Amino acid sequence: MNYLIEIGEKARTAATALNKMGQSDKNKALMKIAEILKENAAEILKENEIDIKAAEENNVKASLIDRLRLTKERITDMADGLIQIAGLKDPVGEVVSMETRPNGLQIGQKRVPLGVIGIIYESRPNVTVDAFGLCFKTGNAVILRGGSDAIYSNKMIVKYIREALAAVSVPEDAVQLLEDTSRETAREFMRLNQYVDVLIPRGGAGLIQTVVQNSTIPVIETGTGNCHVFVDESADFQMALNIIDNAKTQRMGVCNACESLVIHSKIAEDFIPLLAKRLFAKNVEIRSDEVGKSICSDFVSASEEDWGTEYLDAILSLKVVDSIQEAIAHINRYNTKHSETIVTKDYDNSLKFLNEIDAAAVYVNASTRFTDGFEFGFGAEIGISTQKLHARGPMGLLALTTTKYIIFGNGQIR
Amino acid sequence: MNYLIEIGEKARTAATALNKMGQSDKNKALMKIAEILKENAAEILKENEIDIKAAEENNVKASLIDRLRLTKERITDMADGLIQIAGLKDPVGEVVSMETRPNGLQIGQKRVPLGVIGIIYESRPNVTVDAFGLCFKTGNAVILRGGSDAIYSNKMIVKYIREALAAVSVPEDAVQLLEDTSRETAREFMRLNQYVDVLIPRGGAGLIQTVVQNSTIPVIETGTGNCHVFVDESADFQMALNIIDNAKTQRMGVCNACESLVIHSKIAEDFIPLLAKRLFAKNVEIRSDEVGKSICSDFVSASEEDWGTEYLDAILSLKVVDSIQEAIAHINRYNTKHSETIVTKDYDNSLKFLNEIDAAAVYVNASTRFTDGFEFGFGAEIGISTQKLHARGPMGLLALTTTKYIIFGNGQIR
């Protein structure tokens, strides 16, 4: 435990210093880090090779090895990401409101860094640079706990970030990596309330649930997405097909991809054959209720479990409903509060869907794939929150800040 | 566990209905509840008498029995509180931003209820009405878990609230009371993530820590306050004395009362005798470091533990420092991130204090006692958050809402 307390103390000290840094100094540091990462790409690749070899020896799946693998180009992309972050507006210091009370007290709310942020993530070493960059830009010290598979890569990346920080006289402890990647240390880390203000898990559903179940530190839950497209009876068929195709197939393995369709029964007979044609051409398997199957015999039977499954694969569940009310009830029951869309031409139904669906992002006539910090215009994204506290939906720099009340008086007492 | 799941399901169903209710229907219900509580005051007092008797038999402290005790006047106050809440602006439904992206998508952020809120509290039965009122006003269903000492009072109060809701055709499950007040059920309740969106503990430090340590549901930590007054070298002595006197003695047992003084060494010899005179007149014990004691021999010696103690009593710790930097470091080390004030005439020091102190509310030249939802102009308060996520400082109705993104498209795909 002493190991973690030492890291916690160092992070707190760094956070105090970062809180006093202005935008230009922070941006200068980000540019310096980008430069040093590019200069030392070969060294980072050498360490990454060790991680890759170990993964191969452990017969890790090819797709996971691909996530773990760095290339010169990927390192350049990571570094360029920092340059982009440097170019964004820093939300810290903004006074979002200021009011004078009847007794003359001037009460304002000012944006400030969260303090110390813990990031728990899996094997992608690019998260190391990316998460650090966003936390640093907003004046937060960060403690990174990456996966053991990427430890050699992460150690080398963090070493160069710290070198670059030192070179521009910024406390190196603005970033620290937990080199002890044991589960026990991770669990202790999740209870380090005295030093860590917020914990953000980034990874699959298993990782996120482990953090939610074990952390006593406030967590921002980033999300799995069981996203639905509801095709209302008044939908434009061509628009519906385009949106479904895009939401399902443009990128399968992401949280804002569509996993389930809900079709109004009044159009089911006309629409479903067109849908089958469009998706079968892209080798998507459709798991349907009985009504759907009676229209297209090539559909597979859906089980209860299918309604709640995030496939992240070329599979889609399909349910036929008799009303928008039934569609909303079905979606609210099985969704993961991520992104939901209705395709409709009906005014009342569009508003009803927007009002009654419980999700971070609710769409009318657009693909769920837009739920993304860049698409929303934030210029960056630390994750997509599916919880309701603090931040909901794509989280940009703002989500990495809090506010404090600043109060100007001249002797007021109660 | 079935008991809690049933309660959770009912709360979810009620939350769905509340989400669709307009302001005027919610306000009508609040007025009806106020009326019915007043009409049935005698019945409530009868049940309260059972709780009081049990407490007396268990030799509960007089101050706690006073918190537990209802009177006709207190019930009228509770009911009038609901009428006041009815008069406040409902934040739900406000679209706080709406932007058109380059692809034509209109992306807006709309305020919506949190959903289901759990409140865990101690023996004060007025919290039952108060917490329900604020949650209901913002369209949330609430599950109340009060202390076992107040169970008869709470059951009767909740019975009448539900009767009033039914009388105006609002789902009674907008409020539910956990009648099983065992610790085991409380612990299971804290892990009911599937049904409860947020947990708010209201009570002493022990209760709050139990919730923080055991809950897997996101918690809003409301706070203990180890609040400081720093008397800078340029302070107006009279103002400093007034602020200290007010912050310490106007009400001792509250979280925004002052618990610790920090005095600049340059003025210590002149200021401390005045301070001692002022506070000794009110029977305040002062626990001081050695420098302070050398100036006033009537001070008690402070131990390391004193710096971190929230006395909630006629005791104050005192430390002499040589610089504002030392003052800030001392406060940031020992405070509970609640409310801190500097008394100064110096421009640079006032800004330095505002910028560098890590607390929910940072004051210049005013009493810490103002950290309060009513004093801040919110018209209501559910608690004072000392955490950094979601809400920080006094929490009014806004803190009981979240946002969702609403997106208007016309066929956009990626």
Side-chain angles (χ1 to χ4, degrees):
Chain A
M1 193 67 182
N2 276 339
Y3 167 67
L4 285 175
I5 286 175
E6 197 187 323
I7 286 178
E9 291 276 3
K10 285 180 178 172
R12 274 265 159 253
T13 305
T16 302
L18 292 181
N19 181 44
K20 294 188 234 174
M21 277 179 76
Q23 281 194 48
S24 36
D25 285 341
K26 289 190 282 189
N27 292 340
K28 206 171 94 184
L30 287 167
M31 303 299 282
K32 184 71 185 176
I33 298 164
E35 178 193 319
I36 289 200
L37 287 176
K38 285 184 193 175
E39 274 174 21
N40 294 282
E43 293 300 312
I44 296 170
L45 290 177
K46 230 190 272 174
E47 298 300 302
N48 182 246
E49 201 46 52
I50 302 177
D51 288 328
I52 297 285
K53 274 225 175 94
E56 282 168 350
E57 277 163 21
N58 293 326
N59 295 313
V60 169
K61 271 204 296 187
S63 62
L64 290 182
I65 291 185
D66 182 57
R67 287 182 169 206
L68 182 57
R69 188 184 308 279
L70 291 176
T71 61
K72 201 166 173 207
E73 199 192 355
R74 285 184 178 181
I75 291 173
T76 304
D77 286 349
M78 280 159 43
D80 288 344
L82 294 179
I83 296 171
Q84 274 173 37
I85 291 172
L88 296 174
K89 187 175 173 293
D90 178 3
V92 168
E94 187 193 358
V95 176
V96 293
S97 67
M98 173 78 78
E99 204 189 328
T100 304
R101 300 289 307 150
N103 61 2
L105 278 184
Q106 294 181 64
I107 302 184
Q109 222 179 348
K110 185 178 175 180
R111 268 196 208 296
V112 296
L114 284 166
V116 177
I117 299 177
I119 310 271
I120 300 189
Y121 56 110
E122 290 174 330
S123 54
R124 299 197 319 187
N126 62 314
V127 173
T128 308
V129 174
D130 192 33
F132 158 76
L134 295 169
C135 293
F136 180 78
K137 173 81 183 187
T138 42
N140 297 289
V142 68
I143 303 174
L144 301 169
R145 196 281 186 188
S148 54
D149 345 0
I151 187 68
Y152 284 92
S153 314
N154 287 339
K155 272 159 95 168
M156 192 53 75
I157 292 169
V158 169
K159 173 178 170 278
Y160 286 120
I161 296 177
R162 290 171 60 99
E163 269 187 35
L165 289 170
V168 290
S169 306
V170 174
E172 295 166 81
D173 292 326
V175 60
Q176 293 179 89
L177 177 72
L178 291 192
E179 299 193 359
D180 171 354
T181 57
S182 69
R183 270 164 198 254
E184 298 68 47
T185 300
R187 297 215 169 196
E188 283 174 13
F189 179 47
M190 293 181 213
R191 306 184 75 89
L192 210 61
N193 295 53
Q194 205 190 334
Y195 299 105
V196 183
D197 294 293
V198 184
L199 217 50
I200 305 177
R202 284 185 58 172
L207 173 83
I208 290 164
Q209 274 314 304
T210 301
V211 174
V212 167
Q213 294 298 319
N214 291 288
S215 176
T216 52
I217 299 168
V219 171
I220 300 182
E221 195 174 338
T222 59
T224 50
N226 182 24
C227 305
H228 296 72
V229 176
F230 169 49
V231 186
D232 192 18
E233 56 175 315
S234 65
D236 177 306
F237 280 11
Q238 206 49 53
M239 185 191 284
L241 292 170
N242 290 343
I243 286 174
I244 293 168
D245 186 352
N246 180 261
K248 180 70 237 176
T249 71
Q250 194 242 352
R251 208 170 150 201
M252 302 263 191
V254 290
C255 61
N256 57 18
C258 174
E259 304 288 6
S260 189
L261 298 180
V262 183
I263 313 278
H264 200 291
S265 59
K266 286 214 180 127
I267 53 157
E269 275 195 49
D270 294 331
F271 183 71
I272 284 178
L274 301 173
L275 174 76
K277 192 176 163 209
R278 180 82 167 246
L279 291 181
F280 287 162
K282 300 213 174 167
N283 299 312
V284 176
E285 175 184 319
I286 298 178
R287 300 191 185 169
S288 172
D289 65 0
E290 287 312 304
V291 183
K293 269 205 75 175
S294 73
I295 297 168
C296 178
S297 58
D298 291 332
F299 288 173
V300 178
S301 282
S303 68
E304 169 70 21
E305 207 194 326
D306 281 298
W307 307 132
T309 301
E310 184 189 24
Y311 302 111
L312 298 171
D313 204 348
I315 309 170
L316 200 50
S317 67
L318 184 155
K319 179 161 178 80
V320 177
V321 295
D322 289 330
S323 67
I324 183 170
Q325 211 46 63
E326 194 186 340
I328 290 171
H330 175 80
I331 293 171
N332 279 343
R333 174 150 182 209
Y334 293 103
N335 78 352
T336 52
K337 318 293 176 211
H338 195 296
S339 300
E340 311 298 342
T341 194
I342 182 176
V343 186
T344 190
K345 287 181 184 164
D346 186 275
Y347 173 80
D348 287 336
N349 286 358
S350 70
L351 289 191
K352 195 173 176 59
F353 194 84
L354 287 172
N355 287 338
E356 297 182 22
I357 288 290
D358 188 15
V362 190
Y363 292 82
V364 179
N365 295 339
S367 169
T368 55
R369 287 279 294 113
F370 288 106
T371 305
D372 172 302
F374 296 92
E375 293 294 330
F376 275 35
F378 302 162
E381 185 191 284
I382 187 85
I384 295 170
S385 163
T386 51
Q387 71 178 32
K388 292 178 177 176
L389 282 194
H390 188 66
R392 198 176 186 200
M395 297 186 291
L397 294 174
L398 218 54
L400 298 176
T401 67
T402 181
T403 57
K404 73 175 168 191
Y405 284 102
I406 53 173
I407 301 115
F408 298 90
N410 48 11
Q412 281 84 349
I413 59 172
R414 269 179 90 171
Chain B
M1 194 67 184
N2 275 340
Y3 168 66
L4 285 174
I5 286 175
E6 198 187 322
I7 285 178
E9 291 275 3
K10 285 180 177 172
R12 273 266 160 254
T13 305
T16 302
L18 293 182
N19 181 45
K20 293 188 234 173
M21 278 179 76
Q23 281 195 47
S24 34
D25 286 340
K26 289 190 282 189
N27 293 339
K28 207 171 93 184
L30 287 167
M31 303 300 282
K32 185 72 183 174
I33 298 164
E35 180 193 319
I36 288 201
L37 287 176
K38 285 183 193 175
E39 274 173 21
N40 294 282
E43 293 300 312
I44 295 169
L45 290 177
K46 230 190 275 173
E47 297 299 302
N48 182 244
E49 202 43 53
I50 303 176
D51 288 329
I52 297 285
K53 275 225 176 92
E56 282 168 350
E57 277 162 22
N58 292 325
N59 296 313
V60 169
K61 269 204 296 186
S63 62
L64 289 182
I65 290 185
D66 182 58
R67 288 183 168 204
L68 183 56
R69 190 184 305 278
L70 292 176
T71 60
K72 201 164 173 211
E73 200 193 354
R74 284 184 181 181
I75 291 173
T76 304
D77 285 349
M78 277 159 43
D80 288 345
L82 293 179
I83 297 171
Q84 276 173 36
I85 292 172
L88 296 175
K89 187 175 173 292
D90 178 4
V92 167
E94 187 193 358
V95 176
V96 292
S97 67
M98 174 78 78
E99 202 189 329
T100 304
R101 299 291 306 151
N103 60 3
L105 278 183
Q106 293 181 64
I107 302 185
Q109 222 180 348
K110 185 178 175 180
R111 266 195 210 296
V112 297
L114 284 166
V116 177
I117 299 178
I119 310 271
I120 299 189
Y121 56 110
E122 291 173 332
S123 54
R124 299 198 319 188
N126 63 314
V127 173
T128 308
V129 175
D130 191 34
F132 159 76
L134 296 169
C135 293
F136 180 78
K137 173 80 182 188
T138 40
N140 296 289
V142 67
I143 302 174
L144 300 169
R145 197 282 185 187
S148 54
D149 345 358
I151 186 70
Y152 284 92
S153 315
N154 287 339
K155 270 159 94 168
M156 193 53 75
I157 292 170
V158 169
K159 173 178 168 279
Y160 286 120
I161 296 177
R162 290 171 59 99
E163 269 186 37
L165 290 170
V168 291
S169 304
V170 174
E172 297 166 79
D173 292 326
V175 60
Q176 293 180 91
L177 177 71
L178 292 192
E179 300 193 358
D180 172 354
T181 57
S182 68
R183 270 163 199 255
E184 298 67 48
T185 300
R187 297 214 171 195
E188 282 175 14
F189 180 47
M190 294 180 213
R191 306 183 75 89
L192 210 62
N193 296 51
Q194 204 189 333
Y195 299 105
V196 183
D197 294 293
V198 184
L199 218 50
I200 305 178
R202 283 185 59 172
L207 172 82
I208 291 163
Q209 275 313 304
T210 301
V211 175
V212 167
Q213 293 298 319
N214 291 288
S215 176
T216 52
I217 299 168
V219 172
I220 301 182
E221 195 174 337
T222 59
T224 50
N226 182 24
C227 305
H228 297 71
V229 176
F230 169 50
V231 186
D232 194 18
E233 56 176 315
S234 66
D236 176 305
F237 280 10
Q238 205 49 54
M239 185 190 285
L241 292 171
N242 290 343
I243 287 174
I244 292 167
D245 186 351
N246 181 261
K248 179 69 236 177
T249 72
Q250 195 243 352
R251 207 170 153 202
M252 302 263 191
V254 290
C255 61
N256 57 21
C258 174
E259 305 288 6
S260 190
L261 298 181
V262 183
I263 314 279
H264 199 291
S265 58
K266 286 214 180 126
I267 53 157
E269 276 194 50
D270 295 330
F271 183 71
I272 282 177
L274 301 173
L275 174 76
K277 193 176 162 208
R278 180 81 168 245
L279 291 182
F280 286 162
K282 301 213 174 169
N283 299 310
V284 176
E285 174 184 320
I286 297 179
R287 301 191 184 168
S288 172
D289 64 359
E290 287 313 303
V291 183
K293 269 204 77 174
S294 73
I295 298 169
C296 177
S297 58
D298 291 331
F299 288 173
V300 178
S301 281
S303 69
E304 169 70 21
E305 207 193 327
D306 281 298
W307 306 131
T309 300
E310 184 190 22
Y311 302 111
L312 298 171
D313 204 347
I315 310 170
L316 200 50
S317 67
L318 186 155
K319 179 161 178 81
V320 177
V321 295
D322 290 328
S323 67
I324 183 169
Q325 211 46 63
E326 194 186 338
I328 290 171
H330 176 79
I331 294 172
N332 279 342
R333 173 151 181 208
Y334 292 104
N335 78 351
T336 53
K337 318 294 175 209
H338 195 297
S339 301
E340 311 296 343
T341 194
I342 182 175
V343 187
T344 189
K345 288 182 184 166
D346 187 275
Y347 173 80
D348 286 336
N349 285 358
S350 70
L351 290 192
K352 194 173 176 61
F353 194 84
L354 287 172
N355 287 339
E356 297 183 21
I357 287 290
D358 188 15
V362 190
Y363 294 82
V364 180
N365 295 340
S367 169
T368 54
R369 288 279 293 114
F370 287 106
T371 305
D372 171 304
F374 296 92
E375 292 295 331
F376 275 34
F378 301 163
E381 184 190 285
I382 187 86
I384 295 170
S385 162
T386 51
Q387 70 177 32
K388 292 179 177 174
L389 281 194
H390 189 64
R392 197 176 187 201
M395 297 186 291
L397 294 174
L398 217 54
L400 299 176
T401 66
T402 180
T403 57
K404 74 175 168 192
Y405 284 101
I406 53 174
I407 301 115
F408 299 90
N410 48 11
Q412 281 83 350
I413 58 172
R414 271 180 90 171

